[in-house]
């Protein structure tokens, strides 16, 4: 059956005038849960229904993989890390790394999350005393970068944290540009190319130096961080450790995936709380009842379910990755439509999470959607902020725990206020973002 959808020129015009996020939503309302766009020889299929998520990610996953759609990210950002690898390499790496990211495995980082959050509390105390307006996205990016670098490399110096954050940020921006196809080869000495190459050299050199330093010392002296765990792990079949290149690629992948998306989630959480005072009031009631003003411990988090429900609702309404791609490696049918091999299938947490068949009043921010009863009664793939199936993001438990801690630690002490008259301008630039930022004033409770 022929798939409906806009023509190429209409698609390009719509994206330029409305932005990808808004234009895709318009096409969904016009054409239904499956529609396509042809861009030259490339066929882009959008699928919004939870059944499509299950089909592509679980029941027919053998027909889909991460291939051409990830070439730019693979080439310019994270190499053969878990996000971009495929086939046997992905299976081996996932098996090696999975134990470190289970719900139990990430609990080892809870004390780090609390410790770094406490440092941000100190900073925000000073900002609140001066009624300073800050860019919340930058605040959240810095804290999540600090946390992931300490979890990954035991990096403690602010200079190293800033250097790595800025360098990876430059690489991410370059990879986003390269995905559009409008860029000059790296051998052309443009300013953008030179900045990218310098950033990549900084990141690769820094990681290589940490690895070399550890290899030169006795293993018993290595810090208990993620890099040490990756260096010590061995393939069950071959007994071989990870190669130097894979250690580097997985390190970059962990940093890229482990700070940017969580920073976006926490940024959007402050917007959601500022826009929903009844939710904020209920959160403060829970925090006061359980903690009574004292700092939380890791054990306290189990007694703070509403805070976690807020995080989950932020991920529903404002998923950091509003779209993700799976490339058809074999011919298939999706919702009755033909999917030739080579088709790029775009799944959309942003719009699946707004599907009126599965979400009542989907634009409303409502953490009560995440009670155990309501969550259990919902379609298993109506919610997929971290993707779904075997290729679900390996860091989902890490991100949820980190977001839970950050929200509890900061909301207990502060109520950031939006700039008067502020209206968000949602955009997609690789990840979901706010074109006009999120200026807020830190207010102590």
């Amino acid at each position: 059956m022929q798939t409906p959808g806009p023509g190429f020129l209409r698609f390009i015009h719509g994206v330029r005038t409305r932005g990808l996020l808004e234009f895709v939503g318009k096409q969904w309302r016009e054409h239904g849960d499956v529609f396509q766009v042809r861009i030259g020889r490339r066929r882009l299929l959008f699928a919004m229904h939870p059944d499509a998520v299950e089909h592509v990610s679980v029941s027919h996953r053998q027909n889909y993989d991460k291939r051409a759609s990830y070439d730019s990210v693979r080439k310019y950002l994270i190499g053969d890390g878990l996000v971009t690898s495929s086939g046997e390499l992905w299976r081996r790496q996932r098996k090696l790394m999975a134990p470190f990211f289970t719900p139990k495995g990430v609990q080892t980082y809870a004390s780090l999350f609390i410790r770094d959050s406490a440092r941000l509390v100190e900073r925000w105390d000073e900002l609140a005393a001066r009624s300073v307006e800050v860019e919340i996205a930058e605040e959240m990016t810095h804290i999540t970068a600090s946390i992931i670098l300490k979890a990954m490399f035991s990096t403690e110096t602010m200079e190293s944290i800033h250097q790595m954050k800025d360098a990876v940020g430059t690489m991410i921006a370059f990879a986003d540009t390269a995905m559009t196809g409008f860029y000059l080869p790296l051998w052309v000495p443009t300013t953008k190319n030179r900045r990218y190459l310098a950033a990549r050299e900084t990141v690769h050199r820094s990681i290589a130096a940490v690895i070399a330093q550890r290899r030169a010392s006795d293993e018993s002296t290595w810090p208990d961080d993620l890099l040490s765990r990756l260096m010590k792990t061995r393939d069950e079949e071959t007994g071989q450790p990870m190669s130097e290149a894979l250690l580097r690629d997985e390190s970059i992948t962990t940093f890229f995936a482990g700070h940017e998306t969580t920073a976006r989630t926490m940024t959007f959480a402050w917007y959601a709380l500022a826009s929903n005072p009844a939710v904020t009031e209920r959160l403060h009631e829970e925090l006061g009842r359980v903690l009574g003003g004292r700092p939380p411990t890791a054990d306290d988090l189990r007694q703070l379910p509403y805070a976690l429900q807020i995080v989950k609702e932020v991920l529903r309404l404002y998923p950091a990755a509003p779209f993700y791609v799976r490339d058809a490696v074999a011919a298939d049918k999706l919702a009755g439509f033909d999917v030739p091999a080579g088709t790029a299938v775009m799944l959309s947490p942003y719009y699946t999470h707004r599907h009126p068949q599965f979400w009542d009043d989907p634009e409303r921010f409502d953490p009560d959607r995440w009670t155990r009863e309501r969550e259990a009664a919902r379609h298993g793939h109506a919610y997929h902020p971290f993707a779904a199936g075997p290729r679900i993001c390996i860091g989902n438990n890490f991100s949820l725990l980190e977001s839970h801690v950050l929200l509890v630690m900061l909301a207990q002490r502060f109520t950031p206020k939006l700039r008067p008259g502020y209206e968000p301008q949602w955009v997609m630039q690789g990840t979901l973002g706010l074109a006009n930022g999120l200026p807020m004033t830190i207010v102590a409770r």
Side-chain angles (χ1 to χ4, degrees):
M1 182 164 51
Q2 183 64 35
T3 314
F8 173 69
L9 293 179
R10 185 184 173 201
F11 176 75
I12 295 299
H13 176 73
V15 170
R16 285 179 176 173
T17 56
R18 292 173 173 266
L20 180 64
L21 198 63
E22 183 181 342
F23 183 72
V24 168
K26 183 176 184 297
Q27 299 310 301
W28 176 40
R29 291 186 292 273
E30 182 177 333
H31 298 293
D33 285 332
V34 177
F35 59 91
Q36 72 169 356
V37 176
R38 288 189 179 274
I39 305 177
R41 293 183 178 182
R42 191 161 175 75
R43 189 174 187 233
L44 196 58
L45 193 74
F46 290 84
M48 309 305 191
H49 198 281
D51 287 348
V53 178
E54 183 174 17
H55 180 102
V56 172
S57 304
V58 181
S59 62
H60 291 71
R61 65 181 182 274
Q62 71 276 7
N63 294 332
Y64 301 90
D65 207 341
K66 294 186 175 184
R67 298 292 176 85
S69 295
Y70 289 82
D71 282 350
S72 293
V73 178
R74 192 177 290 118
K75 181 176 181 180
Y76 296 113
L77 185 57
I78 58 178
D80 288 321
L82 270 181
V83 168
T84 53
S85 59
S86 61
E88 185 55 36
L89 174 61
W90 173 80
R91 284 187 287 273
R92 185 174 70 247
Q93 289 296 103
R94 180 83 182 201
K95 187 175 182 180
L96 285 173
M97 296 177 67
F100 309 136
F101 291 96
T102 62
K104 182 179 179 180
V106 300
Q107 285 295 325
T108 61
Y109 300 108
S111 60
L112 167 60
F113 299 159
I114 292 171
R115 188 186 71 195
D116 256 37
S117 298
R119 291 177 179 174
L120 185 56
V121 166
E122 293 177 2
R123 169 177 163 78
W124 278 20
D125 272 332
E126 296 177 3
L127 295 174
R130 294 185 284 125
S131 297
V132 173
E133 184 181 84
V134 297
E135 173 49 59
I136 286 291
E138 182 59 29
E139 294 288 305
M140 295 300 98
T141 299
H142 181 77
I143 184 64
T144 58
S146 172
I147 285 172
I148 197 63
L149 284 172
K150 290 171 184 175
M152 188 78 208
F153 303 117
S154 298
T155 301
E156 291 290 345
T157 67
M158 289 299 105
E159 181 182 359
S160 297
I161 290 168
H162 279 295
Q163 184 183 57
M164 184 68 81
K165 178 176 74 71
D166 292 344
V168 172
T170 298
M171 293 173 68
I172 291 171
F174 189 90
D176 286 345
T177 301
M179 287 178 69
T180 67
F182 301 108
Y183 64 97
L184 292 172
L186 284 176
W187 56 264
V188 179
T190 64
T191 300
K192 184 174 289 188
N193 284 355
R194 289 199 301 269
R195 284 177 181 164
Y196 165 76
L197 289 170
R200 186 177 69 179
E201 173 63 19
T202 294
V203 172
H204 287 196
R205 184 178 65 247
S206 298
I207 294 173
V210 175
I211 294 172
Q213 183 180 36
R214 294 198 187 176
R215 293 206 190 282
S217 61
D218 189 275
E219 191 174 300
S220 63
T221 66
W222 293 1
D224 184 23
D225 55 23
L226 187 55
L227 179 61
S228 292
R229 296 178 187 186
L230 294 181
M231 291 175 69
K232 292 175 182 178
T233 193
R234 296 291 184 270
D235 186 288
E236 288 184 359
E237 296 181 5
T238 67
Q240 294 298 308
M242 275 191 205
S243 68
E244 201 89 351
L246 277 177
L247 282 171
R248 179 198 66 212
D249 291 350
E250 296 297 4
S251 296
I252 298 173
T253 298
T254 301
F255 180 71
F256 159 66
H259 93 281
E260 187 186 30
T261 54
T262 305
R264 297 298 171 96
T265 298
M266 286 307 305
T267 299
F268 306 151
W270 296 120
Y271 168 74
L273 289 172
S275 305
N276 295 274
V279 172
T280 302
E281 183 178 352
R282 188 168 160 192
L283 171 63
H284 290 162
E285 185 281 325
E286 179 181 77
L287 294 174
R289 173 169 41 81
V290 175
L291 300 177
R294 63 175 173 78
T297 66
D299 289 339
D300 289 323
L301 296 176
R302 298 184 184 89
Q303 307 304 315
L304 297 166
Y306 192 68
L308 184 58
Q309 287 172 215
I310 290 172
V311 172
K312 289 182 176 181
E313 182 67 350
V314 170
L315 287 165
R316 181 193 71 85
L317 205 53
Y318 312 116
F323 302 97
Y324 59 92
V325 191
R326 295 293 181 263
D327 297 302
V329 296
D332 196 14
K333 281 188 177 293
L334 184 60
F337 296 105
D338 292 331
V339 182
T343 301
V345 178
M346 294 283 284
L347 301 175
S348 177
Y350 189 88
Y351 286 113
T352 304
H353 296 175
R354 285 167 165 75
H355 202 299
Q357 185 179 339
F358 303 95
W359 304 95
D360 296 331
D361 195 5
E363 295 291 341
R364 181 167 57 91
F365 188 83
D366 180 12
D368 281 332
R369 300 179 198 274
W370 300 103
T371 62
R372 288 186 179 181
E373 296 76 17
R374 293 181 69 179
E375 190 170 357
R378 194 173 295 125
H379 189 301
H381 291 88
Y383 182 71
H384 55 122
F386 298 103
R391 294 213 67 146
I392 191 171
C393 174
I394 197 172
N396 63 335
N397 295 311
F398 187 101
S399 180
L400 282 171
L401 180 60
E402 181 182 8
S403 299
H404 196 183
V405 169
L406 283 168
L407 183 63
V408 167
M409 290 284 292
L410 295 172
Q412 183 185 27
R413 297 283 298 277
F414 307 98
T415 306
K417 300 295 185 183
L418 288 169
R419 177 187 292 174
Y422 173 86
E423 291 293 334
Q425 297 174 14
W426 299 100
V427 293
M428 179 186 169
Q429 296 171 330
T431 53
L432 186 65
L434 290 161
N436 56 338
L438 188 60
M440 302 186 83
T441 301
I442 306 301
V443 179
R445 292 186 59 220

